[in-house]
């Protein structure tokens, strides 16, 4: 009881296959055999070669198929009964996916999660800034919008808003279990939201009604964040210019939006600021080679920069 289907070209035969989230928290793949026939299905697995186990998010897995890091390969973002978001990055190919590990999306206080249970994620550029955002349904018939304050290939989510329809918070009655999907349903050039519910009904939110009025207009790039050297090893100097005095947050993130270290979290006077980063996390552990994201936030401004650590 309880399945959540998505369709995708999961292999190289050009036929649409079915990927299903299940009530027990696993994810199953049904290969399209043609002539409207599908095989008996197999569990998608995660782990190193020779040590794979079925993907399992606990219970009530919901599936979003997305190229999280824009590397040309489909990744999996899964919701769960616990309300968290579980990211499985594809280390195989677009038509032969393989998952070696997973991580939970991170927010300011730890694991990113909806306020209630049964997270159901969808990824789409909802605010038109060129970076995909996170939209989530829940157990109580509401919808949650997490604007991406990172980059399209390195999302960062640090606050959420209730989705509104006609200036009223969207809320289906009696624990309706919203499950959103973004599409241009009426072919008018605007993104619409379709959402299913526990009561076997489908609801349409026409394009433009999903964006809350109180999403702040942050100015990006004004702080002129730079890193030198970049790529770097073992350290780099981060510099930026504050147009006005105020509290500053300067933090390092990984590709899943997990905050690895806060370099600044204090009041600073207007003017140029310089901070050195030695490639270590908050525990003092030296990070491995890879791409990281530095984000600076100050009053109504923010800026981002990719950092490449080479060893």
């Amino acid at each position: 009881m309880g399945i959540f289907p998505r369709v995708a070209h999961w292999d190289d035969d050009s036929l649409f296959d079915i990927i299903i989230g299940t009530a027990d928290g696993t994810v199953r793949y049904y290969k399209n055999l043609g002539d409207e026939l599908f095989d008996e299905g197999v569990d998608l697995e995660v782990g190193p070669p020779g040590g794979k186990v079925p993907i399992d998010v606990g219970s009530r897995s919901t599936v979003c198929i997305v190229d999280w890091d824009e590397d040309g390969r489909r990744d999996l973002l899964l919701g769960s009964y616990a309300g968290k978001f579980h990211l499985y990055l594809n280390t195989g190919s677009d038509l032969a996916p393989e998952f070696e590990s997973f991580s939970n999306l991170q927010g300011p206080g730890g694991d990113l999660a909806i306020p209630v249970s049964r997270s159901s994620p969808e990824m789409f550029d909802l605010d038109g800034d060129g970076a995909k955002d996170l939209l989530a349904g829940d157990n109580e018939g509401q919808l949650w919008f997490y604007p991406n304050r990172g980059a399209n290939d390195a999302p960062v989510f640090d606050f959420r808003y209730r989705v509104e329809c006609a200036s009223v918070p969207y809320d289906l009655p009696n624990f309706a279990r919203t499950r959103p999907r973004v599409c241009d349903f009426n072919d008018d050039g605007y993104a619409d939201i379709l959402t299913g519910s526990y009561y076997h009904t489908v609801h349409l939110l026409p394009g433009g009604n999903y964006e809350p009025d109180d999403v702040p207009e942050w100015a990006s790039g004004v702080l002129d964040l730079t890193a030198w050297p970049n790529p770097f090893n073992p350290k780099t100097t981060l510099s930026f210019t504050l147009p006005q005095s105020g509290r500053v947050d300067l933090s390092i993130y990984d590709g899943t939006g997990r905050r690895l270290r806060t370099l600044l979290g204090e009041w600073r006077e207007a003017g140029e600021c310089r901070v050195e980063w030695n490639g270590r996390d908050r525990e003092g552990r030296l990070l491995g080679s890879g791409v990281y994201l530095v984000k600076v936030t100050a009053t109504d401004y923010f800026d981002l920069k990719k950092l490449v650590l080479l060893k």
Side-chain angles (χ1 to χ4, degrees):
M1 178 180 178
I3 62 172
F4 184 94
R6 293 291 199 206
V7 295
H9 293 295
W10 203 250
D11 52 25
D12 59 358
D13 62 6
S14 75
L15 298 175
F16 278 112
D17 306 302
I18 300 177
I19 312 298
I20 289 179
T22 70
D24 64 10
T26 59
V27 179
R28 291 186 65 82
Y29 158 54
Y30 292 84
K31 178 178 173 58
N32 189 339
L33 303 176
D35 297 324
E36 300 181 357
L37 297 175
F38 292 84
D39 70 7
E40 62 186 8
V42 296
D43 288 334
L44 293 185
E45 297 183 320
V46 61
K52 301 243 182 234
V53 296
I55 289 174
D56 188 352
V57 298
S59 64
R60 308 294 175 179
S61 58
T62 55
V63 179
C64 175
I65 300 170
V66 59
D67 185 356
W68 177 266
D69 49 8
E70 299 296 322
D71 64 355
R73 296 178 289 191
R74 286 190 301 273
D75 307 303
L76 286 179
L77 180 62
L78 305 180
S80 67
Y81 185 84
K84 298 180 181 181
F85 303 95
H86 313 269
L87 177 64
Y88 294 76
L89 291 177
N90 181 3
T91 57
S93 67
D94 191 40
L95 298 178
E98 181 174 345
F99 307 101
E100 296 186 358
S101 62
F102 81 96
S103 59
N104 294 333
L105 297 191
Q106 297 293 297
D111 289 346
L112 194 72
I114 57 175
V116 290
S117 60
R118 296 180 187 259
S119 54
S120 182
E122 169 76 324
M123 298 290 294
F124 194 85
D125 180 11
L126 290 169
D127 53 15
D129 65 355
K132 52 184 175 284
D133 306 300
L134 175 61
L135 176 69
D138 68 14
N139 188 51
E140 297 187 0
Q142 305 165 108
L143 292 172
W144 299 92
F145 169 50
Y146 295 77
N148 182 0
R149 294 308 186 191
N152 194 40
D153 57 356
V156 172
F157 305 107
D158 50 20
F159 49 88
R160 65 174 177 253
Y161 294 92
R162 285 279 302 277
V163 172
E164 297 180 353
C165 185
S167 299
V168 177
Y170 184 74
D171 193 352
L172 297 177
N174 301 320
F175 301 97
R177 300 180 188 174
T178 43
R179 301 291 181 262
R181 183 69 170 170
V182 178
C183 64
D184 186 359
F185 182 79
N186 52 13
D187 200 27
D188 64 354
Y190 295 96
D192 309 307
I193 294 177
L194 285 176
T195 179
S197 76
Y198 177 78
Y199 301 103
H200 316 296
T201 56
V202 179
H203 302 256
L204 171 66
L205 282 70
N209 289 340
Y210 54 76
E211 185 175 343
D213 294 333
D214 59 350
V215 174
E217 294 295 330
W218 288 39
S220 63
V222 175
L223 301 175
D224 194 25
L225 177 63
T226 62
W228 180 260
N230 189 25
F232 71 97
N233 180 18
K235 59 186 179 181
T236 185
T237 298
L238 309 170
S239 63
F240 56 93
T241 302
L242 292 177
Q244 62 190 71
S245 301
R247 182 174 175 82
V248 177
D249 181 282
L250 180 69
S251 296
I252 305 295
Y253 298 83
D254 67 10
T256 70
R258 180 167 60 102
R259 192 189 299 238
L260 301 174
R261 185 174 177 181
T262 297
L263 301 175
L264 278 181
E266 60 189 38
W267 179 278
R268 283 291 182 104
E269 296 295 331
E272 186 177 15
C273 295
R274 292 178 179 269
V275 178
E276 185 178 272
W277 182 45
N278 59 4
R280 296 180 181 271
D281 66 10
R282 64 170 64 91
E283 305 298 331
R285 295 170 296 203
L286 189 61
L287 298 173
S289 296
V291 178
Y292 299 92
L293 188 72
V294 57
K295 176 184 177 183
V296 57
T297 305
T299 316
D300 297 326
Y301 308 99
F302 78 97
D303 209 346
L304 300 153
K305 181 71 65 176
K306 284 184 182 180
L307 304 174
V308 179
L309 174 57
L310 295 178
K311 292 184 177 179

